[in-house]
Amino acid sequence: MTAKIIDGKEFAARVRAKVAQHVSRLKQDHGIIPGLAVVLVGEDPASQVYVRSKGKMTVEVGMKSVEHRLDVETSEADLLALLDQLNNDPEIHGILVQLPLPKHLNEDLIINSISPAKDVDGFHISNVGLLGTGQKSMVPCTPLGCLMMLRDHHGSISGMDAVVIGRSNIVGKPMAQLLLNDSATVTIAHSRTKDLADVVRRADIVVAAVGRPEMVPGDWIKEGATVIDVGINRLDAPEKGEGKTRLVGDVHFASCAERAGAITPVPGGVGPMTIACLLANTVTACCRANGLAEPEGLTA
Ligand code: GUN
C-alpha cells in the first residue's frame, strides 16, 4: 500500500480560515476582538522563531496580538505580576508562556498562575483534570491538531487500536486522553516499553512524539495504519551542501509510507497545525468568556 499523505499545511490553512471567519463575526455582531498574549522569557532562538510566527498568524486571522519579551534574568515575582495583569485584562482572552523557561523559574508554578479560562495551551492543572475527566477544557494545541486530522481522515476512531509513543505533558499524555475520549483503545508507549515493535505492529493509529529522529521503521507499521508524526528533528545534511540541515520526524517516512494507509509528512504535517489550533483555542476562549456559541469543529 502507498499511503495517502495528510497535508497539514493545507489543513492548517483551512482551520485558520475558519478561525478568521469566526473572528470577523465576533467583531461585526458583538464588537469583540479576540486577544492573544504571548510571553517569552530569554532569547532561545527556536522560541523566538515560534513567537514571531504566532504573532504574525494571530494578526492575519484578525485577532489582537500582544507580545511580552522579557529578559532572561526576569524574576519569578515579576513574571507572576505580568500574568496577574494579563489574567485581569478584559482585552486578552488567551495567554501563552513559551516553554522552556529559564531554569530559575518554576514552570509548574508559572503555568498554574495563568487563569484556566485563558490557558490556550491547556497546560494548567485544572484543564488537565477537566480533559482527564472528559469535561469541557482548553486542549493542548499539538494533540488537538492531531485529533482534528484523525477525525477528518477516519470520520470516527471509535474502537480503533491507537499507540502513542511518548509520555510528555505537552503531547503524549493529552494525546492519549483525547484518543480515549473518542473511544479508541489506547496504549501509551515510552522509553521503558518492552518490545515497542510488537506494540506498534498492533496499532491502527500510531502517534509518534518522542523527539528521536526516524526511530519508527516501516516494518513496525501495520498494513493500512494511520501514522501521525509529531517529531521535528534537525539532522545534518552534508549532501545538500556544507552546514546544511534537513528536518525529519520520529518515523522513517519513506518506509512507513509504503505500509501505512495515511501518514503526515515532516515538515508540512503536524507542525503547521499547532499554531492553527492555538488560534482556534483563543477564539474558543473568547467565545466562552463572553457567553457566546463556540465555533464548530475547532474544539475537541
Ligand atoms: N514549547 C514547545 N511547544 C510549546 C507549546 O505548545 N506551548 C508552549 N507554551 N511552549 C512550547
Side-chain angles (χ1 to χ4, degrees):
M1 176 173 272
T2 301
K4 174 194 170 201
I5 310 293
I6 300 176
D7 185 345
K9 217 170 140 182
E10 191 261 344
F11 200 122
R14 267 192 282 151
V15 171
R16 290 197 306 273
K18 230 188 252 185
V19 169
Q21 210 175 29
H22 212 83
V23 169
S24 159
R25 212 171 308 145
L26 280 171
K27 257 185 229 176
Q28 267 177 13
D29 297 351
H30 304 281
I32 298 168
I33 300 175
L36 172 64
V38 174
V39 180
L40 173 63
V41 186
E43 294 179 359
D44 176 65
S47 293
Q48 284 182 324
V49 172
Y50 286 134
V51 167
R52 205 171 310 129
S53 191
K54 281 168 190 163
K56 185 170 158 269
M57 292 194 182
T58 305
V59 172
E60 273 173 15
V61 296
M63 303 199 293
K64 173 176 156 154
S65 167
V66 178
E67 275 177 33
H68 290 271
R69 289 166 182 265
L70 308 181
D71 189 88
V72 68
E73 311 239 330
T74 299
S75 70
E76 205 159 81
D78 283 350
L79 181 51
L80 290 173
L82 172 62
L83 291 177
D84 188 50
Q85 179 201 316
L86 294 170
N87 282 340
N88 290 298
D89 184 339
E91 290 190 6
I92 295 298
H93 305 93
I95 302 169
L96 179 146
V97 176
Q98 185 67 32
L99 304 178
L101 286 168
K103 292 277 174 286
H104 68 283
L105 298 170
N106 179 338
E107 213 158 87
D108 290 336
L109 174 71
I110 300 298
I111 295 303
N112 291 322
S113 300
I114 298 170
S115 160
K118 297 189 179 188
D119 168 37
V120 282
D121 259 329
F123 295 164
H124 190 289
I125 192 71
S126 296
N127 283 315
V128 176
L130 289 167
L131 180 65
T133 48
Q135 300 179 71
K136 199 152 95 170
S137 65
M138 296 308 300
V139 177
C141 305
T142 301
L144 178 58
C146 297
L147 181 74
M148 283 183 187
M149 293 195 285
L150 285 169
R151 282 179 175 170
D152 183 70
H153 181 68
H154 288 285
S156 165
I157 60 168
S158 176
M160 294 179 82
D161 282 316
V163 169
V164 179
I165 313 173
R167 53 176 156 178
S168 71
N169 291 338
I170 292 183
V171 183
K173 285 183 208 157
M175 185 74 248
Q177 202 64 65
L178 287 170
L179 293 164
L180 185 61
N181 290 352
D182 265 26
S183 301
T185 302
V186 185
T187 302
I188 306 178
H190 46 78
S191 55
R192 303 287 176 92
T193 296
K194 279 187 266 175
D195 204 350
L196 180 59
D198 187 54
V199 172
V200 175
R201 281 191 185 114
R202 282 184 261 128
D204 305 308
I205 294 169
V206 179
V207 181
V210 263
R212 281 181 54 194
E214 301 179 322
M215 74 158 291
V216 178
D219 72 343
W220 288 10
I221 301 298
K222 177 159 123 181
E223 196 71 30
T226 301
V227 177
I228 305 289
D229 192 349
V230 181
I232 301 177
N233 309 289
R234 197 169 280 284
L235 295 184
D236 289 336
E239 72 281 4
K240 286 167 71 179
E242 203 187 312
K244 295 284 185 193
T245 59
R246 65 189 174 101
L247 286 183
V248 299
D250 289 350
V251 312
H252 185 267
F253 182 81
S255 59
C256 289
E258 279 177 21
R259 292 171 67 97
I263 187 167
T264 60
V266 177
V270 174
M273 289 297 287
T274 298
I275 295 182
C277 288
L278 172 68
L279 304 176
N281 277 350
T282 305
V283 86
T284 297
C286 177
C287 291
R288 287 180 187 168
N290 288 282
L292 298 168
E294 293 170 26
E296 270 180 39
L298 295 182
T299 48

